[in-house]
Amino acid sequence: MPTTTTFALVRHGQTDWNAEFRIQGSTDIPLNDVGRGQATAAVIPLAAFHEDERDWDFVVSSPLSRAADTADAIAAGLNIDVTHRLPTIIERDYGDAEGLQAGPELEALRIPNGFLTAESEAAVAQRGIDALQSLAAEFPGARIIVVSHGTLIRLTVNAIFDISAGPISNAALTVVRASPAGWHLDHLNGENVLAEESSTPVA
């Protein structure tokens, strides 16, 4: 029987910069009170997402504090461990655009698919794919919660499944499975995905 590794991709809880619609990127902005509540609430859908009576095995996260603190809250709520802080799943580096809100200063930096001095979308997606493939190779058959960032999750899922998903909400659950037969998308941004639209072979 093929070995399937299941990933719950969870965006961190809200920060003040999220609430102010500032580009956050690799800047280390902490959770605010709303975000801490969202991190705790994320335990509920994760606890309900069982497979053959199996619980989640462990949590990994980006090292940025908003993701690390979300991961710690989830792990405590599920009574499992955070085993890795993975630099490869840090948020996209937006360069000079970080900290900016919509306006002339931000527009002056805009280029197709990003901003001047920002990391490319392709590079972000590849980082995300490489991280999931490495985890699947190291822990085949595991059920792993991956706490990361909205743009990284969105671009990774879009690249794997050749779709155009929109923004990922704070603390929303996206579930993907990796097996020798390919990838399968179960949930996207907290919503079920139609089976016929959710599979793709390994590239």
Side-chain angles (χ1 to χ4, degrees), residues 2-5 160-161 177-185 198-203:
T3 300
T4 299
T5 305
I160 290 172
F161 297 100
R177 304 178 195 269
S179 76
W183 295 90
H184 185 84
L185 181 62
S198 65
S199 296
T200 186
V202 175

Side-chain angles (χ1 to χ4, degrees), residues 75-162:
L78 295 173
N79 195 30
I80 56 178
D81 294 326
V82 178
T83 61
H84 301 71
R85 307 291 190 194
L86 301 177
T88 51
I89 58 170
I90 202 169
E91 180 60 295
R92 182 183 187 181
D93 185 344
Y94 279 93
D96 294 338
E98 294 194 8
L100 298 181
Q101 297 169 301
E105 188 176 3
L106 183 61
E107 286 305 309
L109 296 171
R110 192 178 294 278
I111 58 175
N113 299 318
F115 301 94
L116 291 170
T117 73
E119 184 180 11
S120 72
E121 288 190 346
V124 177
Q126 194 60 57
R127 282 199 289 109
I129 293 169
D130 288 348
L132 296 185
Q133 289 179 328
S134 294
L135 287 167
E138 186 173 359
F139 306 102
R143 285 167 53 80
I144 306 168
I145 299 170
V146 180
V147 183
S148 185
H149 304 269
T151 299
L152 183 132
I153 293 171
R154 177 176 61 83
L155 293 178
T156 298
V157 170
N158 283 350
I160 290 172
F161 297 100
D162 192 23

Side-chain angles (χ1 to χ4, degrees), residues 54-69:
R54 287 187 57 198
D55 294 329
W56 297 100
D57 293 309
F58 58 88
V59 186
V60 303
S61 82
S62 157
L64 292 180
S65 63
R66 59 190 184 270
D69 290 347

Side-chain angles (χ1 to χ4, degrees), residues 25-48:
S26 60
T27 305
D28 196 359
I29 306 299
L31 296 175
N32 59 21
D33 288 342
V34 171
R36 284 186 284 274
Q38 290 171 331
T40 300
V43 171
I44 297 172
L46 285 163

